[in-house]
Amino acid sequence: MRLRVEFTTEPFDLDEAPAHAVVARRVIEAAELDAVDVGPFGNTAEGGADAVLTAVGALLREALESGATRVSLQVNVIEEGGR
């Protein structure tokens, strides 16, 4: 099964990326995921279910430990091979 995760961390800072946002992005970029898209207002990544779920767990722990007061995320099952 393949999954897509979309996430944001708060609080926002429009002047510079807060520590929790930097940490969250680093976790996702270091995970064994593909189709990673990191942006200023949202981030997405895709991969196998085990890899995505492991990355989400690390993302939550590390972002909250780095000052995030809210982590919004959505996880979707994506079709494989056009099925």
Side-chain angles (χ1 to χ4, degrees):
M1 174 187 323
R2 287 185 54 81
L3 301 176
R4 176 182 299 123
V5 60
E6 301 174 48
F7 69 92
T8 58
T9 61
E10 295 179 39
F12 294 115
D13 183 341
L14 297 178
D15 293 326
E16 70 179 77
H20 59 80
V22 173
V23 166
R25 291 175 188 155
R26 190 175 303 135
V27 167
I28 291 300
E29 289 173 337
E32 294 183 21
L33 303 174
D34 37 68
V36 174
D37 183 21
V38 175
F41 299 108
N43 309 283
T44 61
E46 295 178 9
D50 288 339
V52 169
L53 295 174
T54 298
V56 166
L59 162 74
L60 291 170
R61 276 190 302 281
E62 294 188 34
L64 293 170
E65 289 172 358
S66 296
T69 57
R70 172 185 232 167
V71 178
S72 301
L73 62 88
Q74 178 173 294
V75 178
N76 293 300
V77 175
I78 54 177
E79 296 290 325
E80 292 185 70
R83 288 183 291 149

